[in-house]
Amino acid sequence: MKTVVKSKISALLDEIAKEFNLLVPTAGDGASKFAPYTSGGQVSLDGRTLLPPKDVFFPQTEKMYKFSTDGMAGSLETLLEAPKHQMLFGVRPCDVKSIHELDHVFLTKGFVDEFYQSKRDRTFLVSIGCNGPAEPTCFCQSMGVNPQESDAVDVHLFDLGSEYGAVAKSENGEAFLQKYASFFNEAEVQLPAISEFALKPDVEGITEKLQQMFDHPLWEEVSRKCLGCGACTYLCPTCHCFDISGRVAGNQGFKFRCWDSCMFSEYTRMAGGHNPRPSKKERVRNRFLHKLQYFPERYGDLLCTGCGRCLSKCPVNMDITNIIKQIREVELA
Amino acid sequence: MITEKIRAAAKELLEKGEVETVIGWERGTFWYNSTPVFISKPEQADRLVFDDFCANNLAKYLLDYRNADGKIAVFVKGCDARAITRLIQDNQVKREKVYLIGIPCTGMKEAPKTVSSQDVAGLPLLAKCQSCATPNPVIYDILLGDPVPQKEVGNRFAGVEALEAKGADEKYEHWGKLFSECIRCYACRNVCPACNCRECAFDANGLNWLGKQNNLQENQMFNMTRAMHVAGRCIECGECERVCPMGLPLMDINRKIIKDLNELFGSYDAGLNLEDRPPLGQYKLDDPEKFM
């Protein structure tokens, strides 16, 4: 396997930044997130970022179209950014999985979202594996993610302690490793053992079980402490609901989309005022059914990658692993 | 042990049928997560705990029980009790419909870095508890445990004074940088016991007081309006700042407003008793007119 010592990474990133618009995990004075690389700046390759990388492809606010009128004439323009070659460096396997789920939503089933696609297509992915839980709240292994290795990327880096072991996962990845070959050595490597995760929710058969639990009293019980904020959904790497809105001033305006959250009371409110999800019971139920039943039914994957962000930041410790456990303990008549 | 006392108190209230629900805390995911719990059967009382991690202010949940038939029992620390006093003053909660079980509190702790270390004594107090002026409940039906001494907290406006000393551009840069980080999850609003509008202006479609775009302009509008709207009603429980996933120093804004109110209307601490009304919730002939 090709290996690169960790002390050479900043020199490698300096070189990459000459070719790519490079995004790296940073831990500055605010929350840790993926941000443009600056030489000598804060790069944090240990652990996962607080903010997931989803906004790289699906920004929290994104202008889509602008329009104007001139008498009876009008014009409409799609605001697609010119493709720039960018690299997302240091994505953890849980977040790689989340990008795979977002691809399902935005690129399959007969509709391609051009705003998502234009950013997704131009992004070169480099993942870094974990040799165990990065945070106590991690549970990716139970959600079908291999914490040590990602395949749906261009290059994967194994964490070997003082060095990374690099494997190309695509043709672009092969070319990349050749181009930067001077940074790498060839060595026999032994992958470290994966340390034990504290949280191990068992999701075997959960979708089938939930298909019979829409009206179960469990939802009333587990939703009581929920405050109805959107911290879980906005920190979630897979949550992807959005709302389209617009601004008009004079004879011109624009349409934009922005993240929305199924936990918000007005999320399902219809014109006329009716709300089919009037209380937190229905909202919490929808969030978990979407993750564990509806999404698997449509795409064959759970809409949770076990990154643990919702659990670590929820003001009231709403714990998806505990809810999964409670669902399993329910005895259906 | 305080946990045994709270379990016994909850059990007795439920067995005698004096209350229909008890709101307290139970063990959450890890040993350092204590989380709100709602108990309605005596045999569930053993789920209750009181430890160094019961940071959640439970007063907010009383809004979910506004139309309950029976009484609701709530465990209250000093801050929780002040929040409930405010809710009673705002006619959101009827005093006779709640049974308050007071617990003197020496402050809650930060979560540790790892699950394995169980050194509770070595953990720092939460920021919100370091400046606590009311460790003992100000209103209760029964008090479990002995009142704890009030510790010296120093000048709680020191941070505000440091910000006031900055120039206008410097202030704008300071807050602009922070508000740019806001993800508008509204955790600060939703956890706040002073935020008790039936429908928040920010949730009301069609009013368009706040746009949905996440940008500095809208984020400022949200954050400043939230703070201004709890002016005179903030009981300084610090929950907004504790729950902010982005770690924004929201108590700096709340304290700035409290300081201004004190200077305009005389010293006032919200929720200390049922008699003193908030300065903006009453009218006096000699109210200052500086802003007119």
Side-chain angles (χ1 to χ4, degrees), chain B residues 78 81-86 89 134 138-139 232-235 268-274 276:
Chain B
R82 284 179 69 177
I84 289 174
T85 308
R86 281 295 313 120
Q89 283 186 320
T134 40
V138 294
I139 184 174
R233 307 189 295 129
C234 168
I235 49 103
Y268 175 76
D269 291 309
L272 284 186
N273 58 58
L274 287 169
D276 295 332

Side-chain angles (χ1 to χ4, degrees), chain A residues 61 225 269 280 316 319, chain B residues 29 35 61 64 199 203 214:
Chain A
T61 300
K225 67 179 176 179
R269 186 167 50 205
K280 56 188 173 186
V316 297
D319 178 350
Chain B
T29 309
T35 170
Y61 292 112
D64 292 341
E199 184 179 41
D203 290 342
N214 186 298

Side-chain angles (χ1 to χ4, degrees), chain A residues 228-297:
Chain A
C229 77
C232 51
T233 54
Y234 283 2
L235 297 180
C236 177
T238 67
C239 276
H240 52 263
C241 286
F242 61 84
D243 185 26
I244 295 179
S245 195
R247 295 291 294 263
V248 182
N251 67 337
Q252 54 189 325
F254 60 89
K255 286 272 180 196
F256 64 90
R257 71 174 170 194
C258 55
W259 294 355
D260 204 348
S261 170
C262 59
M263 304 313 297
F264 292 160
S265 59
E266 83 280 20
Y267 175 82
T268 40
R269 186 167 50 205
M270 301 173 179
H274 176 65
N275 194 337
R277 290 186 206 139
S279 75
K280 56 188 173 186
K281 180 188 93 175
E282 292 85 9
R283 293 174 208 138
V284 167
R285 174 176 64 193
N286 179 72
R287 187 168 117 75
F288 290 105
L289 289 186
H290 189 197
K291 296 209 166 292
L292 305 171
Q293 181 193 334
Y294 308 147
F295 199 85
E297 283 171 347

Side-chain angles (χ1 to χ4, degrees), chain A residues 29-31 33 50-51 60-61 63 136-137 198-199 221 224-232 234-235 243 245 247 254 256 258-260 263-266 269 280 311 313-319 321-322, chain B residues 21 26 28-30 32-33 35-36 38-40 44 47 56 60-61 64-65 113-115 177 181-187 190-191 199 202-205 211-215 217-218 242-246:
Chain A
D29 42 358
K33 58 184 166 231
L50 173 62
L51 292 174
Q60 183 160 10
T61 300
K63 283 187 189 173
T137 52
L199 298 177
E221 183 68 24
R224 277 195 191 167
K225 67 179 176 179
C226 176
L227 296 170
C229 77
C232 51
Y234 283 2
L235 297 180
D243 185 26
S245 195
R247 295 291 294 263
F254 60 89
F256 64 90
C258 55
W259 294 355
D260 204 348
M263 304 313 297
F264 292 160
S265 59
E266 83 280 20
R269 186 167 50 205
K280 56 188 173 186
L311 174 48
K313 287 295 172 186
C314 174
V316 297
N317 188 235
M318 280 286 265
D319 178 350
T321 68
N322 182 263
Chain B
T21 299
E26 70 174 337
T29 309
F30 298 118
Y32 50 81
N33 298 123
T35 170
F38 306 81
I39 300 284
S40 53
Q44 296 172 323
R47 287 169 67 177
N56 284 91
K60 182 89 188 199
Y61 292 112
D64 292 341
Y65 291 88
K113 296 275 181 278
T114 62
V115 185
K177 196 171 163 208
E181 294 258 309
C182 173
I183 55 171
R184 297 260 294 280
C185 66
Y186 302 131
N190 288 20
V191 80
E199 184 179 41
F202 299 137
D203 290 342
N205 279 351
K212 281 200 155 188
Q213 291 184 82
N214 186 298
N215 58 31
Q217 184 190 337
E218 305 288 8
R242 178 183 72 85
V243 303
C244 176
M246 309 307 287

Side-chain angles (χ1 to χ4, degrees), chain B residues 34-286:
Chain B
S34 297
T35 170
V37 67
F38 306 81
I39 300 284
S40 53
K41 297 191 185 93
E43 61 271 24
Q44 296 172 323
D46 287 346
R47 287 169 67 177
L48 292 164
V49 297
F50 188 78
D51 58 17
D52 292 291
F53 306 100
C54 297
N56 284 91
N57 187 329
L58 303 178
K60 182 89 188 199
Y61 292 112
L62 287 176
L63 298 178
D64 292 341
Y65 291 88
R66 270 189 273 223
N67 301 319
D69 294 328
K71 265 189 167 184
I72 308 297
V74 194
F75 288 96
V76 291
K77 312 182 293 288
C79 49
D80 305 343
R82 284 179 69 177
I84 289 174
T85 308
R86 281 295 313 120
L87 291 175
I88 294 170
Q89 283 186 320
D90 284 354
N91 295 321
Q92 298 294 315
V93 172
K94 290 196 178 75
R95 179 66 185 91
E96 63 274 17
K97 293 287 290 286
V98 288
Y99 188 89
L100 304 177
I101 310 163
I103 308 178
C105 171
T106 52
M108 295 296 153
K109 300 283 182 77
E110 296 262 9
K113 296 275 181 278
T114 62
V115 185
S116 50
S117 108
Q118 297 231 2
D119 169 29
V120 179
L123 294 171
L125 280 182
L126 287 174
K128 71 171 202 162
C129 299
Q130 287 174 13
S131 55
C132 173
T134 40
N136 298 300
V138 294
I139 184 174
Y140 53 81
D141 292 289
I142 51 164
L143 187 67
L144 303 182
D146 299 321
V148 295
Q150 163 70 53
K151 58 181 184 297
E152 196 55 56
V153 292
N155 173 16
R156 72 192 206 275
F157 296 119
V160 176
E161 284 160 7
L163 287 169
E164 284 173 338
K166 291 177 188 281
D169 289 347
E170 231 181 325
K171 283 179 199 164
Y172 190 83
E173 192 186 338
H174 174 79
W175 289 111
K177 196 171 163 208
L178 292 168
F179 291 151
S180 299
E181 294 258 309
C182 173
I183 55 171
R184 297 260 294 280
C185 66
Y186 302 131
C188 52
R189 174 194 68 178
N190 288 20
V191 80
C192 175
C195 276
N196 56 44
C197 291
R198 190 169 299 166
E199 184 179 41
C200 178
F202 299 137
D203 290 342
N205 279 351
L207 290 176
N208 287 331
W209 284 339
L210 182 70
K212 281 200 155 188
Q213 291 184 82
N214 186 298
N215 58 31
L216 180 55
Q217 184 190 337
E218 305 288 8
N219 295 2
Q220 273 175 334
M221 175 71 183
F222 165 66
N223 279 279
M224 299 313 289
T225 309
R226 184 205 63 78
M228 292 301 286
H229 205 181
V230 298
R233 307 189 295 129
C234 168
I235 49 103
E236 298 182 69
C237 68
E239 279 288 85
C240 51
E241 187 172 296
R242 178 183 72 85
V243 303
C244 176
M246 309 307 287
L248 303 182
L250 301 176
M251 283 307 291
D252 281 350
I253 319 171
N254 294 340
R255 287 225 169 84
K256 165 64 179 159
I257 294 170
I258 291 167
K259 183 168 175 286
D260 284 356
L261 284 170
N262 286 352
E263 287 164 9
L264 282 166
F265 298 96
S267 182
Y268 175 76
D269 291 309
L272 284 186
N273 58 58
L274 287 169
E275 292 76 40
D276 295 332
R277 310 285 311 174
L280 301 182
Q282 60 175 327
Y283 171 70
K284 283 184 187 163
L285 279 174
D286 59 351

Side-chain angles (χ1 to χ4, degrees), chain A residues 28-140:
Chain A
D29 42 358
S32 58
K33 58 184 166 231
F34 285 86
Y37 174 78
T38 49
S39 185
Q42 295 257 13
V43 182
S44 173
L45 295 178
D46 296 320
R48 60 141 175 79
T49 50
L50 173 62
L51 292 174
K54 72 177 171 185
D55 71 319
V56 171
F57 310 108
F58 171 50
Q60 183 160 10
T61 300
E62 180 170 34
K63 283 187 189 173
M64 306 172 85
Y65 310 99
K66 67 175 182 181
F67 51 86
S68 63
T69 56
D70 181 13
M72 292 300 286
S75 73
L76 175 68
E77 188 187 333
T78 302
L79 298 171
L80 268 183
E81 293 168 60
K84 269 181 292 182
H85 205 34
Q86 68 181 4
M87 179 186 288
L88 199 48
F89 186 95
V91 188
R92 297 285 160 172
C94 53
D95 288 341
V96 171
K97 184 82 187 304
S98 76
I99 296 168
H100 181 67
E101 310 311 346
L102 294 177
D103 285 351
H104 277 315
V105 174
F106 289 109
L107 302 176
T108 70
K109 302 274 180 192
F111 179 78
V112 171
D113 183 294
E114 56 188 337
F115 300 95
Y116 179 88
Q117 187 191 37
S118 69
K119 295 182 240 337
R120 181 72 174 90
D121 281 353
R122 72 191 196 214
T123 304
F124 188 103
L125 287 177
V126 179
S127 53
I128 296 181
C130 300
N131 296 323
E135 307 268 341
T137 52
C138 289
F139 56 97
C140 67

